[in-house]
Amino acid sequence: MKLPTRKRPPSGYLQQLRAEFEALSRQLSEAERAATAAQTEAEHKRRAYRELEERSQSTTWSTAEQRLYREKNQAEAEAARRREALYPLREQHARLERLVTAPRQLEEAKAILERLAARRAALGAELQKAAALRGKLEARIDELQRQLTDETRSAAQRLIDAGDLAPIPAELGTQQAELTATRQTLEEVGRRIEALEAEREALPETIRRAREQWLGARATVAEIALREQLPAFIGLIAQAAVAAHRAGFSRERDRYAIEIPQEALEAAAAALDAELPAA
């Protein structure tokens, strides 16, 4: 069974969600500003009441104190009301944000997975090249050490045979300089290999996180596609749910479980696997 796949949710429905999100974002910003202003006013009233109370020498409330106390309570109640009004707005805003950002997150996760796959291949090539260079450097160091040993012995024997001091052959200095440089290069290559291996070891976890991001975004995109198509058959689902509830087949009137054929599940899984970037 082959299922039609959509990599992106329909633009019309997504545009509708984006318009709702933008409108809700403005509403939330206004509500947050109002909540901040109400909190500032409540703090101002509390401070004013406290200062008046501290200045008062009377054991009974003055008219000004009673008025400020009422204003303080009203301001605190208004600030609390404004804060509570933010909770449902923020929840709805987060829900819509998850929906409208899902297509972008899906593309970003896909690009990340593709970059990681390319980087993993490049790391393998770089490590292979560095390992080959390390082998050549080690072989050259062994060769230079043998040459230096032989040349040093020969120079020492010539001094002994001459019975006097003689200049050290220039070849010894050249070979020693090359040996020092080669050893330093080998150390640099070793550090490079360690860095590459550490990066390669960290890749699986990075790939796992990127894959989880892709799967989460893909699930949301699929949800958007389903929501767009849902109005076409929600009436039939509602009829089945109500009828089942009235017949006593179900206790829930607002839910109706539908069993998905195994063939459809397998086709959907295959389609999802084909979409998931290899990394």
Side-chain angles (χ1 to χ4, degrees):
M1 179 178 182
K2 186 176 180 181
L3 294 179
T5 59
R6 290 186 179 184
K7 294 186 178 180
R8 296 180 182 176
S11 58
Y13 183 66
L14 185 58
Q15 285 300 110
Q16 177 186 341
L17 289 175
R18 286 173 177 165
E20 293 177 8
F21 177 69
E22 290 172 1
L24 186 60
S25 295
R26 291 191 295 271
Q27 183 182 353
L28 178 58
S29 296
E30 293 172 0
E32 288 175 337
R33 286 194 295 269
T36 300
Q39 183 63 32
T40 302
E41 179 65 14
E43 292 172 357
H44 171 72
K45 292 296 183 182
R46 277 196 298 269
R47 186 166 53 252
Y49 173 74
R50 186 170 59 252
E51 291 173 355
L52 179 61
E53 193 177 34
E54 290 172 354
R55 291 195 305 268
S56 177
Q57 301 297 323
S58 175
T59 57
T60 60
W61 270 5
S62 65
T63 303
E65 285 177 313
Q66 294 178 33
R67 177 180 55 79
L68 267 179
Y69 183 74
R70 287 193 300 270
E71 292 177 357
K72 176 186 76 70
N73 288 346
Q74 291 171 355
E76 289 174 340
E78 177 64 12
R81 186 185 69 80
R82 294 282 185 179
R83 284 195 305 271
E84 291 174 0
L86 289 176
Y87 296 135
L89 285 176
R90 285 172 173 165
E91 289 179 359
Q92 187 179 2
H93 186 269
R95 182 185 65 80
L96 280 175
E97 185 176 26
R98 178 180 66 84
L99 293 172
V100 300
T101 58
R104 174 178 54 81
Q105 290 178 351
L106 184 65
E107 293 301 321
E108 289 175 355
K110 178 183 177 182
I112 291 172
L113 285 170
E114 290 172 347
R115 286 198 301 269
L116 290 173
R119 183 54 184 159
R120 182 162 61 179
L123 278 173
E126 290 180 33
L127 278 167
Q128 185 176 3
K129 182 179 178 181
L133 178 58
R134 180 171 60 184
K136 293 178 181 179
L137 290 170
E138 289 172 344
R140 181 57 180 163
I141 288 172
D142 290 341
E143 181 183 356
L144 286 170
Q145 286 176 332
R146 286 193 301 270
Q147 291 176 357
L148 277 170
T149 299
D150 294 342
E151 290 293 338
T152 301
R153 287 174 180 170
S154 298
Q157 188 61 47
R158 284 194 295 271
L159 288 174
I160 292 172
D161 294 342
D164 197 1
L165 294 177
I168 301 296
E171 291 80 1
L172 280 175
T174 301
Q175 289 173 343
Q176 184 61 54
E178 184 182 353
L179 178 61
T180 300
T182 305
R183 281 174 172 166
Q184 291 177 348
T185 303
L186 180 60
E187 292 176 0
E188 289 295 328
V189 171
R191 285 191 287 269
R192 173 63 175 164
I193 289 175
E194 289 178 359
L196 291 172
E197 288 177 340
E199 183 180 355
R200 185 173 63 176
E201 289 176 1
L203 266 182
E205 177 61 21
T206 306
I207 291 173
R208 183 189 65 79
R209 291 197 300 267
R211 184 176 285 112
E212 286 182 352
Q213 179 184 342
W214 187 92
L215 289 171
R218 186 63 185 86
T220 303
V221 168
E223 177 187 346
I224 294 172
L226 176 62
R227 286 176 179 271
E228 191 210 26
Q229 300 297 325
L230 196 57
F233 51 88
I234 192 64
L236 294 175
I237 297 175
Q239 288 179 14
V242 171
H245 178 70
R246 290 184 178 180
F249 298 159
S250 172
R251 294 182 179 180
E252 296 179 327
R253 186 170 176 267
D254 58 347
R255 297 179 185 273
Y256 189 78
I258 299 175
E259 183 176 351
I260 303 173
Q262 185 64 29
E263 184 182 1
L265 290 173
E266 291 175 356
L272 186 63
D273 291 339
E275 279 189 54
L276 180 61

